[in-house]
Amino acid sequence: HTRKSTSLFVEKLNEYLKDKEFLVADRLTGADFMMGFGLHALVHHMGQGENYPHIQRYVAGLSQLPSWQAAVQIEQNGVKSQK
């Protein structure tokens, strides 16, 4: 039942993103960062991009943003001390 619910959610999200660059308010927000990492995994690590073309486009767009690239670096390397 959980897999079916997840699949339905991803299908609805894919449709929602059909004509959107960002999730909320037509601008980059925390929602994009919170959802973006999971959607990136769906597309790149689980190979589901072709099944969800609007999510794939959304993830590709996020990947081009300097702020997204900085967040990925932090995720991979941790936050450096400001000392």
Side-chain angles (χ1 to χ4, degrees):
H1 179 32
T2 301
R3 187 178 299 252
K4 186 176 180 180
S5 296
T6 301
S7 179
L8 180 60
F9 170 76
V10 174
E11 288 172 19
K12 295 286 187 186
L13 182 60
N14 185 63
E15 184 62 25
Y16 174 80
L17 288 169
K18 176 174 62 178
D19 59 355
K20 299 196 177 346
E21 185 176 357
F22 302 109
L23 287 172
V24 182
D26 296 326
R27 63 183 176 82
L28 185 67
T29 67
D32 296 295
F33 288 96
M34 289 185 279
M35 291 294 295
F37 281 99
L39 295 175
H40 182 274
L42 178 78
V43 169
H44 295 288
H45 302 294
M46 298 171 69
Q48 294 295 310
E50 65 186 38
N51 295 328
Y52 304 106
H54 304 304
I55 290 175
Q56 185 173 28
R57 177 197 42 78
Y58 168 76
V59 168
L62 286 179
S63 297
Q64 299 301 309
L65 300 173
S67 54
W68 178 262
Q69 294 167 7
V72 169
Q73 284 294 101
I74 290 169
E75 179 68 19
Q76 292 173 348
N77 304 323
V79 178
K80 304 246 189 287
S81 175
Q82 294 293 328
K83 293 180 183 181

